[in-house]
Amino acid sequence: MIGWREKSMMRIRYWSVRTSASRRRSITRSTEVPTAPGPFSLLAASALLLLLTSATASTRETKLGSIGFELPKDWKLQMDGADRLTASPTGAADTPPLVMAEFCAANSDRPCPPVEAPNAEKTGCVEPQSSTKQWPHGVSEKRWICPRVASAAGVFNLAVGHFLAPTWTLRVVYIFTDKDQPPNKFLDALAKTLRKQ
């Protein structure tokens, strides 16, 4: 069975051959010397097609509470109710890279937990680097990055992003090693996909 990618490549090849033949016919009617598409233009078209298909397929929509955001498509999700999740490439809850996220919809019966730096006693994070960011749709973020945290599981890095909107809070914890995607890049990419469901 021919897949979508193979059909696209066949269309590109067909278009290239057809264009080349029509240019050869026009030589007899015109004094201009046409330039036939070379292997580079076919290669460029193929690369562009591959880039477009891989870029759109590299993430997947994830819903937590009443908001949606995108995580890497190949990561395995473990939901804990409708408001908490853990995600990682391996599905292991103790091997970086690892994301833990918790959604909270503020109401008078249950206020959301305070936005505060990671607890040094619980996380081993001492003197985190903090920053504040503003995102579209009235979402602000308070971010902490803790390099080189030692624990019984080994040495890792930790980043915490608290995303605050008027009616909800999303706390994202990203545990990573030096080989994984940098925390600012990971959290920025996630923040750009936040949307109300």
Side-chain angles (χ1 to χ4, degrees):
M1 181 173 206
I2 296 176
W4 180 82
R5 193 171 282 169
E6 288 84 6
K7 285 181 183 177
S8 297
M9 291 304 295
M10 287 171 53
R11 284 187 192 127
I12 290 170
R13 286 189 195 118
Y14 174 73
W15 178 79
S16 176
V17 169
R18 200 171 144 190
T19 303
S20 173
S22 67
R23 285 185 181 171
R24 274 187 244 121
R25 279 194 300 265
S26 68
I27 290 175
T28 59
R29 295 184 207 137
S30 167
T31 57
E32 292 180 20
V33 177
T35 57
F40 177 75
S41 63
L42 183 59
L43 182 63
S46 300
L48 179 62
L49 180 65
L50 182 62
L51 178 67
L52 291 174
T53 57
S54 64
T56 57
S58 63
T59 61
R60 72 164 156 198
E61 176 76 16
T62 304
K63 185 177 180 197
L64 197 58
S66 63
I67 60 167
F69 54 92
E70 293 180 11
L71 286 173
K73 185 175 185 172
D74 57 343
W75 283 31
K76 294 168 183 61
L77 298 179
Q78 295 177 348
M79 298 297 294
D80 181 6
D83 296 339
R84 282 187 281 203
L85 70 77
T86 303
S88 72
T90 62
D94 59 355
T95 306
L98 174 71
V99 170
M100 294 177 285
E102 183 174 5
F103 172 82
C104 177
N107 61 44
S108 57
D109 297 336
R110 191 187 102 183
C112 291
V115 176
E116 55 192 16
N119 183 309
E121 289 180 20
K122 291 181 181 178
T123 64
C125 177
V126 181
E127 297 182 20
Q129 305 160 3
S130 67
S131 62
T132 304
K133 293 194 169 214
Q134 201 62 38
W135 298 103
H137 312 295
V139 176
S140 63
E141 178 195 3
K142 183 70 176 175
R143 183 179 295 178
W144 293 274
I145 298 176
C146 308
R148 312 300 296 166
V149 176
S151 75
V155 177
F156 58 91
N157 304 299
L158 173 75
V160 177
H162 268 268
F163 298 92
L164 304 162
T167 59
W168 56 265
T169 299
L170 177 67
R171 182 174 184 259
V172 177
V173 177
Y174 176 51
I175 299 171
F176 60 100
T177 67
D178 294 337
K179 298 175 187 173
D180 300 316
Q181 189 175 30
N184 286 323
K185 189 173 182 180
F186 184 88
L187 290 171
D188 285 357
L190 186 143
K192 289 173 186 172
T193 65
L194 283 173
R195 58 192 148 274
K196 188 89 168 140
Q197 296 284 306

